[in-house]
Amino acid sequence: HLDLWVAGHACLRDAGTYSYNTEPLWIGYFGGVAGHNTVQFDDRDQMPRLSRFLLGDWLRTERLEPLQVTTADVRAGAGYRDAAGASHHRRVELGDGVLCVHDRVQGFARRAVLRWRLAPGDWRLENATHAETGLAHRVVNANGHALTLRSSAPITRCEIVQGWESLYYLEKTPVPVLELEITRPGTLTTEYHWAA
């Protein structure tokens, strides 16, 4: 999972907790992979829920890329392979006015879905063609924030869906969630831009 905060504002955020004592659907949503900015494999959580507070098949870090700080950016990366054989390696690069995330995924059976949980606002999806990379999807809002998403594998779905977040215990509100889906192994690249 990755949060992005700019000038005290949560641009990319997790879903929050909502409640520790509610229906299993909401415990699974807020505490599971769908409530975070990461990749979900085959409609399941990477660590299955054994009870309300206990998860199984804990992930172990693979290919750790230690934090590097340069004059241009700050970068780091890490990956894992889950018990079902799916693997995810994420490299993050943070510069002035831009966050670049590279998610390499493989080993899943049917599909991988990358989710970015966006700040509430008027987000719209655009397709853009780039000479070097082919088709890319761009998501923009009225405040000058924009995401550009590319994939080395064919993109089968890219859309903004309604998700939920809980800023306060026992309260949930709608939030836009960007979902990008692929059905073959590949690298997903997301660039999040804001006015620096």
Side-chain angles (χ1 to χ4, degrees):
H1 169 77
L2 177 70
D3 268 17
L4 173 65
W5 289 69
V6 175
H9 178 70
C11 300
L12 299 172
R13 57 227 278 150
D14 75 11
T17 303
Y18 181 58
S19 175
Y20 294 117
N21 187 22
T22 187
E23 298 89 12
L25 168 75
W26 293 116
I27 290 173
Y29 177 82
F30 284 96
V33 68
H36 295 85
N37 296 317
T38 190
V39 177
Q40 182 176 26
F41 299 114
D42 300 324
D43 303 310
R44 61 176 173 77
D45 284 342
Q46 286 86 334
M47 297 188 301
R49 186 168 297 281
L50 302 177
S51 68
R52 186 173 298 166
F53 299 108
L54 184 62
L55 301 174
D57 292 332
W58 279 70
L59 302 174
R60 293 194 179 139
T61 303
E62 292 181 353
R63 276 202 63 220
L64 178 64
E65 297 177 35
L67 184 69
Q68 296 178 336
V69 180
T70 69
T71 56
D73 63 16
V74 177
R75 57 181 65 191
Y80 65 85
R81 180 176 312 279
D82 69 14
S87 68
H88 178 196
H89 181 270
R90 174 170 276 179
R91 188 175 76 242
V92 177
E93 302 162 0
L94 179 63
D96 287 338
V98 63
L99 170 71
C100 188
V101 181
H102 306 276
D103 290 302
R104 192 174 65 246
V105 295
Q106 59 189 10
F108 51 93
R110 294 180 317 281
R111 69 183 189 146
V113 177
L114 170 63
R115 287 190 184 86
W116 291 115
R117 304 177 54 79
L118 306 171
D122 182 24
W123 292 92
R124 67 184 185 282
L125 183 63
E126 303 172 344
N127 288 335
T129 302
H130 299 274
E132 295 177 11
T133 59
L135 181 66
H137 293 275
R138 185 169 164 80
V139 180
V140 298
N141 76 5
N143 296 328
H145 290 234
L147 290 94
T148 302
L149 299 104
R150 294 179 185 84
S151 174
S152 66
I155 297 171
T156 56
R157 181 174 63 91
C158 185
E159 64 181 333
I160 300 171
V161 301
Q162 179 186 300
W164 296 95
E165 72 176 353
S166 177
L167 300 176
Y168 305 99
Y169 197 71
L170 287 178
E171 291 182 21
K172 62 181 184 297
T173 54
V175 65
V177 178
L178 175 61
E179 293 187 347
L180 185 140
E181 180 180 329
I182 59 175
T183 57
R184 295 197 318 221
T187 300
L188 309 171
T189 301
T190 304
E191 291 181 8
Y192 189 112
H193 294 267
W194 65 93

